[in-house]
């Protein structure tokens, strides 16, 4: 059995679409008060541009995603 943990930072693009930034092997005890300022910094940098669209325009939410893989054959 293999278990992985990722931290998924969810943003809105400048066009209002959803965009995720996924981080592998995050510290498992991060809180909203620790994550929110980092997301706001990413938004504030305004350095990302893909064909005129900022993919990280608005910080939306964050969540841990735990995945368990069990081989059966």
């Amino acid at each position: 059995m293999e278990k992985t943990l990722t931290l998924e930072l969810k943003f809105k693009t400048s066009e209002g679409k959803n965009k995720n930034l996924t981080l592998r092997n995050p510290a498992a005890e991060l809180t909203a008060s620790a994550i929110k300022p980092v997301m706001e910094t990413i938004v504030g940098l305004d350095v990302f541009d893909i064909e005129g669209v900022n993919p990280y325009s608005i910080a939306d939410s964050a969540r841990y995603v735990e995945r368990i893989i069990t081989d059966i054959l």
Side-chain angles (χ1 to χ4, degrees), residues 4-39:
T4 61
L5 183 68
T6 58
L7 176 61
E8 191 173 82
L9 306 178
K10 301 173 103 22
F11 294 87
K12 295 286 185 186
T13 70
S14 56
E15 292 182 329
K17 296 181 181 179
N18 297 322
K19 180 69 176 177
N20 295 340
L21 181 61
T22 303
L23 305 169
R24 294 181 189 171
N25 304 314
E29 62 278 347
L30 295 174
T31 63
S33 60
I35 295 170
K36 188 171 181 165
V38 173
M39 292 180 71

Side-chain angles (χ1 to χ4, degrees), residues 16-69:
K17 296 181 181 179
N18 297 322
K19 180 69 176 177
N20 295 340
L21 181 61
T22 303
L23 305 169
R24 294 181 189 171
N25 304 314
E29 62 278 347
L30 295 174
T31 63
S33 60
I35 295 170
K36 188 171 181 165
V38 173
M39 292 180 71
E40 290 173 352
T41 299
I42 292 169
V43 169
L45 290 173
D46 197 27
V47 296
F48 301 98
D49 186 288
I50 300 172
E51 297 179 6
V53 176
N54 181 352
Y56 306 110
S57 185
I58 299 169
D60 186 35
S61 61
R63 66 183 180 182
Y64 283 109
V65 177
E66 187 175 338
R67 183 175 179 206
I68 299 172
I69 300 170

